[in-house]
Each structure stands twice: as structure tokens, then as C-alpha cells.
Amino acid sequence: MIIDIFGAGSLGLLFYSKLALTEEEIRLNLWTRTEEQASLIREQGVQFYPSANSVSLMDSLTIPAKGSVKPVSDIRQTDQNQKADIILVTVKQTHLTTDFVRQVGKRASERTAIICFQNGIRMDNLWRDQWQVYAGITTEGAKKPSAHAVVHSGYGETVIGRLVQGHSTADRGDESKGAENGQSDAILLLLNLWTKAGLNASLSNNIEMAIYRKLMINAVINPLTALWRIPNGELLQSPERISVMKRLYEEAIQVYDKADIEWSESLWNDILQVCRATASNTSSMLADVQQGRRTEIEWINGSIVEIGQRHQIAAPGHEWVCALIEAMTTKEAD
Ligand code: PAF
């Protein structure tokens, strides 16, 4: 089986290490953004820390390259029989461009399952209709202390479900077709491998609900941690902070209701629980701001504003955080 991983950020390196450690007969190709990172991994492998504690104990495993490790710009058209069975796309929304998707397409055939692990929902119909595209929502915790090292900082769960093409922002203002029932062999093999790797994964017939749940969690936690420059757990440390979180939450719920997006009664508590479970974590948006990188605000809070606009309901709180976050970064580091 051939598995290609696009993106060698924390999540990409985590999946790479865990799949390599299964010692199954798989060819694992890793596509990075830069040649610098690719050559480092080719020469020194990936340094994998199985838990947060293992970092202080300096207890890591070296995962040697198990296939090709190259920058995305080096992808060439390959023969049909060398195309990937499974493609995991772990790059940030900010890198998910038409050009990037064209490069991914060189590794895909009609039987390839492409699983996208993005925050936010505006995938803007980048994927071709004939491809089997899935969304992956994961709560696995991973940190990348250096370009070729990854820490599995917390165990979580991954839910995978088929995306209906052209409906990646499938709030019910559009006609939702629902997920297909039949799953490809590749997806079943991947779930099997995931279990062998000691990770939790399941298939969902209602991936849209999982996507919008994650969107809400990100829309409340990410901008506020980035604006206040605090780890996730500190959001809960004052009633004033909780009340700002609640305002963003309630505004988004009104948008969801107007757009007929399904949500669970436990959603507010789920947000609080994520803050507790990831208390010492730097959110991805705070990390982007700290590094002077472009954030995913447009795809997270911006999506809520956009769904609201389509359904004639304003989301001024989300508009404000978009403006505040966008004004924080003055340069693009990458
Ligand atoms: O983007 C992130 O950082 C994460 O999705 C979350 C859930 C906000 C926790 O840090």
C-alpha cells in the first residue's frame, strides 16, 4: 500500500511516525514545503517523542525515511500503478491553494482516498469531482519542537467521513446530499492501520456535524487565545473571559440555527472541556501569531461570518475578531 502525507507540520509528522512504527508493508511518502526540511528528514529521520513526558526524559525514537521525502514542488506525474492508495493532507488552510491541489492530484487516481485534516470549512471546491475526498477531524495532540522532531503530546480521536463534493461548506442553505454509505477499501485499510498504530479512529456518516463542532471550538478558542496571548486553559480563569467566549459561541449558534446546521446541546461544555484538556497548549492561531505567520482566521471565524451573510444574519463579534487578528500580522513568514 502507498500512503502519501502532504505537510510535515506537527500533525503530518505524527501520522508519519505512527504509521511507520506499525512496521506494515507500506510505502510512506512525505511531501514537505521546503527542500531543507526534506533533506534533514532524509538524512536524520524523524525524531519521535511518544509522550509529553518523554521530552524531558530525552526518550525518543528515530524513524528513518520509509519512502521518498521531498518538497511538494518536486512532484512529477507518476504511473497509475505508483499512485497513492491514501493521501493525508495535513497542511494549513493557508497553504491549500489551487496550485497545491494540482500537485496533490499528480499522486491521486480515482481509487485514491484523500483525507483532509483542515481547521475551518472553506475548502472552496478545490478538489476534483472524480476524487474520493474525506474530511478528517482529529483531537490528537502534537507539537513540533524542530523541523524533524514531533511530540505526541496527547491522545485523542480521529473521525473520518466522506465530503460531498461542492458542499464542503454544506450548511443547509445548500441542499445537503449526506455522506455516501459505501466506503472505499483504502479507507477501511487506513482505519485498520490506524488501530495498529495505537490511534483511535472511526468512520462517520455525519462528518458535517463533526466539522461544525470543530469549527465552533476553534472559533471560540483560537482568536481569543491569540489576542490575549494565553494558553488554552487560561481562557477559563476569569468570568470576564468566559463571558466573551460565550458571546462568540451564542452568536455562532444563531448563525448555525439560521443556516440549519446541526449542533449538539453539549457543545458549550465541549468547548470548556477542550480548554481544560489542552490547558497548557498554545493554540494553533496563537502559534501562528507568535511566528508572524498568516493565521487561519479567514477559514474559521470568517466562515461563520460568511454563512451568516448567506442567511441574512450578522455575526459582528466574529467580524471583529477577524479584523483584530488580521491586523496583528504585518508580514508573512512563509
Ligand atoms: O487549533 C487548535 O489549536 C486546536 O484545534 C484547539 C482545539 C483550539 C486546541 O488548541
Side-chain angles (χ1 to χ4, degrees):
M1 165 151 51
I2 306 177
I3 303 183
D4 281 31
I5 300 180
F6 282 80
S10 53
L11 208 54
L13 291 184
L14 173 70
F15 294 158
Y16 184 80
S17 308
K18 293 297 270 183
L19 292 174
L21 284 168
T22 61
E23 288 176 2
E24 290 289 307
E25 282 291 302
I26 39 176
R27 182 176 168 84
L28 210 46
N29 298 320
L30 181 64
W31 301 101
T32 63
R33 196 161 51 80
T34 62
E35 166 56 26
E36 219 182 327
Q37 186 187 19
S39 67
L40 193 63
I41 296 174
R42 278 195 307 268
E43 282 155 27
Q44 300 182 24
V46 174
Q47 214 60 39
F48 173 65
Y49 293 88
S51 67
N53 286 345
S54 59
V55 181
S56 50
L57 299 171
M58 293 199 297
D59 174 19
S60 69
L61 298 162
T62 301
I63 317 278
K66 264 201 107 177
S68 75
V69 181
K70 288 186 186 161
V72 173
S73 53
D74 276 11
I75 298 182
R76 305 278 168 262
Q77 279 293 356
T78 32
D79 292 347
Q80 203 62 14
N81 60 359
Q82 285 180 344
K83 301 238 176 191
D85 298 294
I86 294 166
I87 292 179
L88 305 179
V89 181
T90 68
V91 300
K92 293 207 168 195
Q93 288 274 15
T94 44
H95 293 130
L96 203 59
T97 58
T98 319
D99 253 9
F100 174 84
V101 170
R102 194 175 311 122
Q103 291 295 78
V104 175
K106 292 181 184 163
R107 299 287 309 136
S109 71
E110 282 172 26
R111 56 171 182 79
T112 308
I114 304 176
I115 301 119
C116 304
F117 287 90
Q118 269 67 50
N119 273 333
I121 51 165
R122 291 172 52 181
M123 295 191 204
D124 297 328
N125 302 335
L126 288 169
W127 305 100
R128 282 202 221 135
D129 277 353
Q130 69 265 36
W131 288 341
Q132 297 180 47
V133 186
Y134 293 77
I137 302 289
T138 189
T139 52
E140 292 295 344
K143 285 185 184 164
K144 195 178 100 177
S146 78
H148 71 127
V150 66
V151 184
H152 193 186
S153 53
Y155 275 82
E157 273 175 37
T158 303
V159 185
I160 294 172
R162 186 77 189 261
L163 270 183
V164 182
Q165 290 295 296
H167 291 261
S168 45
T169 52
D171 60 275
R172 301 307 182 266
D174 300 327
E175 184 198 344
S176 174
K177 294 179 189 161
E180 275 191 5
N181 289 329
Q183 303 297 341
S184 73
D185 290 349
I187 280 290
L188 300 176
L189 281 169
L190 178 69
L191 289 178
N192 197 10
L193 265 176
W194 219 257
T195 311
K196 286 193 174 137
L199 296 169
N200 243 321
S202 56
L203 268 178
S204 168
N205 281 331
N206 192 355
I207 195 68
E208 301 289 348
M209 193 166 168
I211 292 173
Y212 285 103
R213 176 181 178 275
K214 181 83 193 295
L215 179 69
M216 178 71 89
I217 293 172
N218 283 319
V220 174
I221 298 180
N222 273 330
L224 299 182
T225 49
L227 287 167
W228 295 330
R229 300 200 176 233
I230 52 173
N232 298 347
E234 286 188 25
L235 283 174
L236 307 184
Q237 277 182 3
S238 84
E240 289 79 7
R241 286 180 185 168
I242 296 176
S243 111
V244 178
M245 292 168 69
K246 194 83 193 242
R247 278 165 66 179
L248 283 180
Y249 169 76
E250 281 171 353
E251 205 177 281
I253 285 292
Q254 283 180 12
V255 170
Y256 279 21
D257 281 344
K258 201 75 196 288
D260 216 1
I261 292 169
E262 219 179 320
W263 54 278
S264 139
E265 287 298 331
S266 67
L267 191 46
W268 171 247
N269 282 329
D270 293 350
I271 298 171
L272 302 182
Q273 186 44 36
V274 171
C275 291
R276 286 184 211 108
T278 62
S280 62
N281 284 18
T282 299
S283 75
S284 55
M285 197 171 286
L286 174 56
D288 285 341
V289 165
Q290 283 171 337
Q291 305 291 317
R293 288 190 298 248
R294 187 176 170 206
T295 69
E296 295 180 294
I297 193 84
E298 186 188 331
W299 291 268
I300 299 176
N301 302 76
S303 298
I304 290 176
V305 173
E306 194 226 20
I307 300 168
Q309 280 164 353
R310 269 193 277 133
H311 294 273
Q312 286 83 46
I313 177 164
H318 291 273
E319 270 181 55
W320 256 111
V321 293
C322 284
L324 290 171
I325 294 285
E326 265 155 18
M328 282 178 95
T329 40
T330 51
K331 66 178 171 74
E332 267 197 63
D334 45 8

